Amino acid sequence: MPFNDEKQCVGEDHPSDSDSSRFSESMASLSDYECSRQSFTSDSSSKSSSPVSTSPPRVVTFDEVMTAARNLSNITLAHEIAVKENFELKQDTVPENSLDGQVKHIVHQAFWDVLKSELNADPPEYEHAIKLFEEIREILLSFLTPGGNRLCNQICEVLDTDLIRQQAEHSAVDIPGLANYVISTMGKLCASLRDDDIRELKATGNIVEMLRQIFHVLDLMKMDMVNFTIKSIRPHLQRQLVEYERTKFQEILEKTPSALDQTTEWIKESVNEELLSFSESALTPGAENSSKPSLSPTVVLNNSYLKLLKWDYQKKDLPETLVTDGARLQELTEKLNQLKIFACLSLITKNMMGAVTEGFPELTNRLKRISAVLLEGMNKQTFNLKEALNSICVQTCVEINKTLTERGLPTLNAEVQANLIGQFSSIQEEDNSIWSLIDKRIQLYMKCLLCLPSSQKCMPPVPGGLTIIQQELEALGCQYANIVNLNKQVHGPFYANILRKLLFIEEAVGKVNASSPTN
């Protein structure tokens, strides 16, 4: 839900999915090329900081593409583990009513039916059961730590398939006894959250069902082991994340030279917008127009990041350097749009009936929760904003009337309610003044966040009209700033080289035009 009461600050540690601030203090700050223009003109950059090659394009082989894909997969996984506090892998579940689910169920059921018929035969057939115990043995051995030699020897001795086959030939094999040993060993190796599963296994009377459930619990134990390993390596990944991601991305770039094309276009848009802004300023009456202004690399890059808050994630691909944070940015943008709408609706409500709602903080909190529910899924193409706004208005009127009734005051008449519905619906119209005002102030707030020094802990003041969403806006702003700051640290050298080329191509063109003789 986008509306929460937890206040956060940039640079502090928070156990949220999109919060990377926990390792911000241990990472090196951005290099001077982000803050100083001089570094963009320097030729002393190393290979890692000069990713864009000026050599002619070459043919990329299939193996190189696959290597780059694997590197991207590794980057994404490492990034998720380090940034997401509660990251863990889960078993893939196939819906039972799907075709895949039905086929899987039929095949598995057929296998266990065959095993049951073999064990119930006279004399019994043990070959399939022996293969199962052989597989169980290998799984149990994979759970052991390097120091578990004693248990390792015991497992190999008890589940010795050659010995079990010899016993089977003389009808002396004890399948239930072997299964009970396996369950006992699993109880020694499993995590505490599997204790109930182990007790259920021990209580299973049917040997075939017992073996079936043994494999189910072993699969759960495998996932537990993987997630334990992930938890163990997280601190190391957090310390090494910047260097690791940068190195892997450099490897991708060496295999696929076009891996920064979208990133270049993304930054180029901001460069063009800044140039257009300067041109419009120069045409303003009374403005000085003595020389061509210099673009700030930091301002250009920050403006590029601000574009992400209005990104169309359904139709437009993200820059390559932000793919690992795509889901977080999309979720953040959706929540920010919800906050933006609620701020607009609150401003309309206050302007129309401020005296009525003044002094009722619990009413504001209820309206926040209602708006959050009705605006859920705004990023989906099937979402109908007009219907959502009408529903919010109806519920707003209901809540206001309820509050007024509780205090013995007259409720809203039909004319006021109709006017409120019209005002609410109008915010989705193009160039709506209230929407434009709130949007500009939120953009200004986020821009101030990006300009804060990385060591500063406090949040900038919230602009007027946004007090109603201050706590939520600060929380989202903190998440957004942490994503941006980490991205700058990882991909700073790549951005520096792109900006160097874009900015000084423009600068060179400007100088040529200025020095050209006039006729």
Side-chain angles (χ1 to χ4, degrees):
M1 299 291 288
F3 304 128
N4 58 69
D5 298 327
E6 183 180 358
K7 184 174 181 179
Q8 305 181 42
C9 290
V10 176
E12 294 181 357
D13 292 340
H14 304 286
S16 65
D17 290 357
S18 55
D19 184 1
S20 59
S21 61
R22 60 181 58 257
F23 43 81
S24 61
E25 304 245 345
S26 64
M27 294 178 177
S29 60
L30 285 173
S31 303
D32 289 342
Y33 55 72
E34 281 206 62
C35 306
S36 170
R37 184 175 179 81
Q38 180 181 358
S39 61
F40 282 90
T41 59
S42 172
D43 292 329
S44 60
S45 58
S46 63
K47 178 181 179 181
S48 62
S49 61
S50 301
V52 180
S53 174
T54 57
S55 58
R58 63 183 180 83
V59 176
V60 180
T61 66
F62 176 77
D63 288 340
E64 289 175 329
V65 171
M66 294 306 297
T67 300
R70 284 191 295 271
N71 282 333
L72 180 59
S73 177
N74 291 338
I75 291 175
T76 303
L77 180 59
H79 189 88
E80 289 297 310
I81 292 172
V83 173
K84 190 174 180 180
E85 172 67 18
N86 299 318
F87 177 86
E88 62 179 23
L89 295 178
K90 298 183 183 294
Q91 282 187 311
D92 291 333
T93 56
V94 181
E96 293 184 2
N97 57 349
S98 66
L99 179 60
D100 289 344
Q102 292 175 2
V103 170
K104 181 179 179 180
H105 174 75
I106 292 171
V107 172
H108 284 199
Q109 188 61 48
F111 173 83
W112 295 111
D113 287 344
V114 170
L115 178 64
K116 181 179 180 180
S117 63
E118 289 182 349
L119 293 179
N120 291 334
D122 188 17
E125 294 285 340
Y126 294 109
E127 188 58 31
H128 278 89
I130 293 172
K131 289 181 179 179
L132 289 180
F133 281 113
E134 185 176 12
E135 186 175 346
I136 290 172
R137 181 191 64 189
E138 298 306 315
I139 295 174
L140 292 176
L141 292 176
S142 70
F143 294 150
L144 299 180
T145 59
N149 294 330
R150 181 177 178 181
L151 187 55
C152 175
N153 294 333
Q154 185 186 83
I155 292 173
C156 291
E157 181 180 342
V158 175
L159 299 180
D160 184 344
T161 51
D162 291 336
L163 177 60
I164 295 174
R165 280 193 176 90
Q166 292 177 13
Q167 293 173 341
E169 291 175 358
H170 297 85
S171 300
V173 64
D174 183 8
I175 297 295
L178 293 174
N180 287 326
Y181 170 77
V182 168
I183 295 171
S184 175
T185 305
M186 289 168 63
K188 298 175 183 177
L189 298 175
C190 70
S192 57
L193 78 161
R194 300 299 169 205
D195 289 345
D196 290 341
D197 296 320
I198 298 299
R199 281 192 288 270
E200 290 179 8
L201 284 177
K202 292 179 179 179
T204 304
N206 185 290
I207 184 60
V208 174
E209 184 61 26
M210 181 183 289
L211 289 172
R212 186 174 189 168
Q213 292 304 317
I214 282 174
F215 275 93
H216 172 67
V217 177
L218 285 174
D219 285 340
L220 296 177
M221 290 174 62
K222 288 180 190 177
M223 200 57 63
D224 293 339
M225 180 65 70
V226 170
N227 287 323
F228 174 78
T229 304
I230 288 174
K231 186 176 181 181
S232 301
I233 67 174
R234 179 179 289 118
H236 175 73
L237 275 178
Q238 289 173 341
R239 291 191 296 269
Q240 305 297 329
L241 184 64
V242 170
E243 190 62 34
Y244 175 80
E245 285 197 35
R246 187 183 298 163
T247 300
K248 286 297 180 182
F249 194 86
Q250 177 65 44
E251 292 176 10
I252 291 175
L253 201 57
E254 290 171 357
K255 301 296 183 183
T256 53
S258 62
L260 279 172
D261 286 356
Q262 293 179 27
T263 302
T264 302
E265 288 300 314
W266 170 60
I267 296 176
K268 189 176 181 180
E269 284 183 17
S270 293
V271 172
N272 293 336
E273 289 174 2
E274 285 295 301
L275 290 174
L276 180 61
S277 176
F278 282 131
S279 299
E280 292 175 349
S281 299
L283 294 175
T284 303
E288 296 182 3
N289 191 22
S290 57
S291 61
K292 181 179 177 65
S294 297
L295 298 183
S296 165
T298 303
V299 170
V300 169
L301 189 57
N302 284 349
N303 287 344
S304 297
Y305 282 117
L306 289 172
K307 289 180 177 294
L308 301 174
L309 299 176
K310 296 184 177 181
W311 202 267
D312 188 345
Y313 292 90
Q314 301 296 326
K315 300 179 181 179
K316 197 173 180 182
D317 292 332
L318 273 171
E320 297 90 346
T321 53
L322 285 151
V323 169
T324 53
D325 283 308
R328 269 175 287 277
L329 287 168
Q330 183 173 351
E331 181 183 4
L332 188 149
T333 301
E334 180 183 355
K335 290 181 178 180
L336 189 63
N337 286 334
Q338 292 177 2
L339 288 178
K340 194 182 301 182
I341 289 177
F342 182 74
C344 292
L345 302 183
S346 297
L347 187 58
I348 292 172
T349 304
K350 183 177 181 181
N351 290 339
M352 290 187 61
M353 51 192 69
V356 177
T357 59
E358 193 73 27
F360 298 146
E362 67 280 2
L363 174 61
T364 301
N365 292 331
R366 288 204 302 271
L367 294 179
K368 275 186 181 181
R369 292 192 293 269
I370 290 170
S371 298
V373 172
L374 295 176
L375 293 173
E376 195 72 33
M378 277 185 59
N379 61 317
K380 298 178 181 178
Q381 293 182 348
T382 56
F383 184 82
N384 191 319
L385 180 58
K386 183 176 180 179
E387 288 184 3
L389 291 174
N390 288 336
S391 299
I392 292 173
C393 186
V394 170
Q395 290 299 316
T396 298
C397 292
V398 169
E399 292 295 331
I400 291 176
N401 286 333
K402 179 181 177 182
T403 302
L404 293 174
T405 302
E406 290 173 352
R407 286 160 177 77
L409 299 173
T411 59
L412 304 177
N413 58 46
E415 182 180 354
V416 172
Q417 295 187 40
N419 191 11
L420 191 63
I421 290 175
Q423 291 283 339
F424 275 27
S425 299
S426 67
I427 68 168
Q428 66 176 330
E429 297 174 0
E430 191 175 354
D431 298 329
N432 179 272
S433 58
I434 296 179
W435 177 268
S436 299
L437 175 66
I438 296 298
D439 179 66
K440 287 179 181 178
R441 291 182 178 179
I442 288 178
Q443 287 285 312
L444 176 62
Y445 178 78
M446 293 299 184
K447 190 172 185 178
C448 291
L449 275 177
L450 299 185
C451 294
L452 287 177
S454 58
S455 59
Q456 184 165 334
K457 300 291 184 180
C458 296
M459 307 294 286
V462 174
L466 303 182
T467 307
I468 192 73
I469 57 169
Q470 178 172 348
Q471 291 185 348
E472 295 82 10
L473 187 61
E474 287 180 348
L476 288 183
C478 175
Q479 296 173 11
Y480 171 67
N482 287 325
I483 290 173
V484 170
N485 290 335
L486 176 60
N487 186 265
K488 284 182 177 179
Q489 292 179 54
V490 173
H491 298 102
F494 306 103
Y495 295 145
N497 199 56
I498 292 172
L499 285 164
R500 184 186 299 115
K501 292 177 180 297
L502 291 176
L503 294 184
F504 296 107
I505 286 176
E506 296 291 344
E507 186 174 270
V509 171
K511 289 181 178 179
V512 169
N513 292 338
S515 61
S516 298
T518 57
N519 295 329

